[in-house]
Amino acid sequence: MTLTLYQRDDCHLCDHALAVLAAAAAPEFVSVFIDGALALETAYGSRVPVLADGAGRELAWPFAAAAVTAWLQAAG
């Protein structure tokens, strides 16, 4: 499963999301910083952090470890 965490520089919510993902023992993911990328800022600017998978599913903040685990399990 390919996971991407969309985030911003100096984002305290993104720091919290990283801790939640660690607590959920989420698999490895790629961090994509949206700052300066117009298309990504338009799509995610007010919603970061957002965890996305390769199937197009997204889990937007706020999320807890249990929600991350359920979201990952729902992917099959």
Side-chain angles (χ1 to χ4, degrees), residues 2-73:
T2 302
L3 296 176
T4 303
L5 180 66
Y6 293 99
Q7 55 185 317
R8 289 186 173 279
D9 291 324
D10 301 318
C11 169
H12 73 282
L13 295 178
C14 300
D15 295 337
H16 290 302
L18 291 170
V20 169
L21 292 172
E28 190 172 322
F29 57 89
V30 174
S31 289
V32 173
F33 291 86
I34 68 167
D35 300 300
L38 183 57
L40 292 177
E41 284 184 355
T42 299
Y44 298 107
S46 63
R47 301 188 304 138
V48 291
V50 175
L51 185 63
D53 67 10
R57 296 180 325 126
E58 295 181 346
L59 182 63
W61 187 260
F63 48 77
V68 172
T69 300
W71 184 80
L72 291 168
Q73 289 175 346

